[in-house]
Amino acid sequence: MSRIGFIGLGNMGLPMAQNLIKAGHQVEGVDLNPALTDKLKAAGGTVVDFAKVAAARADVVITMLPAGKHVRDVYLGANGIIENANAGTLLIDCSTIDVETAREVASAAEARGLMMLDAPVSGGVGGATAGTLTFMVGGSAQAFTRAQSILEKMGKTIVHAGGAGTGQAAKICNNMILGISMIAVSEAFVLAEKLGLDHQKLFDISSKSSGQCWSMTTYCPVPGPVPTSPANRDYQAGFTADMMLKDLRLAQEAAKAAGAVTSLGANAERIYSSYAASGEGGCDFSGIIRYVRG
Ligand code: NAD
């Protein structure tokens, strides 16, 4: 059993922390929102007031925060984790953030003799609740080995991607594929509509042909063919268009910094940006078909 400080108990963090409690770990949770810390308490966790308290007492600190600036504040701020953590504390950031911040925070941790991993996830709130997330992990082999038994309590697929920042690199590359492919599948369904081809017929053919992909077979953007997809519940998220836009922006920042040409990724960012600006940023990202339809 480990004493785990868990910072950020939102849509993803709370169910992840609950799975750690179920597995017998002692979890000390921190969030700015008292309603969420109350839920952790109800699940058998302990509530602590400041990130530094969790950091100073914990064997492992896990963070699940909205964006890079929150991660910087919590780790590098004056009362932050890096300044306060005990030697030997393992730090795991599961937030989706920019590669540069992930590397900067990891190197600050290393300078203080602390092991740190970036370990963003895929699988959404459903995966967090079921304990079936995919973790993409960047950092040293030694830190990865230490983290594995803890990550296994929250996820099913845990991949060591390489050194610091490569977990975040994997996450934004994956989500760039997803953003582009959801637009591609949406455009195909809209074209089919205009050509008089039935949604189900296109699905029956494409899901078994070379157009087959996750956006078609698991998350189909039209109601009917995949009953569990958000299209069947008026595009209630799921994974919001705002979150997809965040990840596409991170991919574009990284592409610019690295000098990579990602024309479709850039176009996908523009399309999701216009969709979110139309007021549907809180809808599931597969709702992009409504924007494509015009
Ligand atoms: P969320 O907004 O629901 O949760 C974030 C939590 O962090 C909030 O409860 C907030 O109060 C808390 N927080 C912010 N600053 C804090 C601070 N200084 N100290 C303590 N708590 C603080 O977001 P989420 O949906 O749980 O997502 C978290 C991360 O996971 C994001 O980086 C997101 O991109 C990523 N992610 C989300 C999903 C998803 O489907 N929701 C899927 C994969 C990855």
Side-chain angles (χ1 to χ4, degrees):
M1 186 206 60
S2 298
R3 180 184 284 219
I4 300 174
F6 205 114
I7 303 168
L9 300 167
N11 292 324
M12 296 292 288
L14 182 66
M16 289 165 73
Q18 285 169 333
N19 281 330
L20 292 172
I21 294 169
K22 274 188 217 147
H25 293 294
Q26 186 181 337
V27 177
E28 300 188 331
V30 180
D31 198 285
L32 304 176
N33 179 349
L36 296 173
T37 47
D38 284 351
K39 285 188 184 167
L40 184 80
K41 213 169 172 179
T46 314
V47 177
V48 285
D49 282 340
F50 300 107
K52 70 170 183 177
V53 180
R57 290 155 55 98
D59 305 316
V60 179
V61 172
I62 299 175
T63 44
M64 194 49 164
L65 296 162
K69 68 180 161 61
H70 307 91
V71 172
R72 267 176 203 276
D73 284 354
V74 163
Y75 282 96
L76 304 176
N79 291 320
I81 296 168
I82 289 180
E83 192 184 296
N84 289 284
N86 287 328
T89 306
L90 172 65
L91 312 177
I92 308 174
D93 179 37
C94 296
S95 330
T96 302
I97 63 167
D98 57 290
V99 176
E100 200 188 319
T101 299
R103 290 192 169 143
E104 192 184 322
V105 176
S107 96
E110 199 187 337
R112 264 217 67 217
L114 299 163
M115 283 198 266
M116 170 140 201
L117 295 168
D118 50 291
V121 304
S122 172
V125 177
T129 306
T132 56
L133 292 169
T134 294
F135 283 90
M136 307 156 222
V137 189
S140 72
Q142 199 191 352
F144 178 75
T145 304
R146 233 187 107 189
Q148 232 167 342
S149 64
I150 289 178
L151 299 180
E152 278 164 2
K153 300 293 181 285
M154 302 181 284
K156 204 165 73 173
T157 306
I158 295 139
V159 180
H160 187 203
T166 55
Q168 297 297 347
K171 171 76 185 174
I172 56 175
C173 288
N174 180 71
N175 279 20
M176 188 173 80
I177 297 172
L178 178 61
I180 293 169
S181 69
M182 185 54 80
I183 294 169
V185 170
S186 297
E187 287 188 354
F189 273 108
V190 170
L191 177 59
E193 287 164 8
K194 301 234 183 256
L195 298 177
L197 171 64
D198 182 63
H199 287 163
Q200 186 65 47
K201 296 292 179 198
L202 175 61
F203 179 85
D204 291 346
I205 293 161
S206 271
S207 64
K208 299 281 184 294
S209 304
S210 44
Q212 186 273 333
C213 63
W214 191 91
S215 295
M216 170 69 78
T217 56
T218 304
Y219 229 66
C220 190
V222 294
V226 178
T228 49
S229 80
N232 299 283
R233 41 174 210 273
D234 199 27
Y235 302 97
Q236 195 190 319
F239 185 62
T240 63
D242 281 339
M243 278 195 191
M244 174 51 79
L245 179 59
K246 171 194 161 186
D247 292 356
L248 289 169
R249 283 186 174 143
L250 290 175
Q252 285 311 294
E253 280 166 24
K256 270 188 206 118
V261 179
T262 53
S263 320
L264 292 181
N267 228 342
E269 187 209 328
R270 275 192 291 276
I271 292 170
Y272 270 98
S273 177
S274 303
Y275 178 53
S278 76
E280 298 209 354
C283 293
D284 189 80
F285 81 106
S286 58
I288 196 73
I289 193 167
R290 297 202 276 216
Y291 178 81
V292 170
R293 211 177 262 129

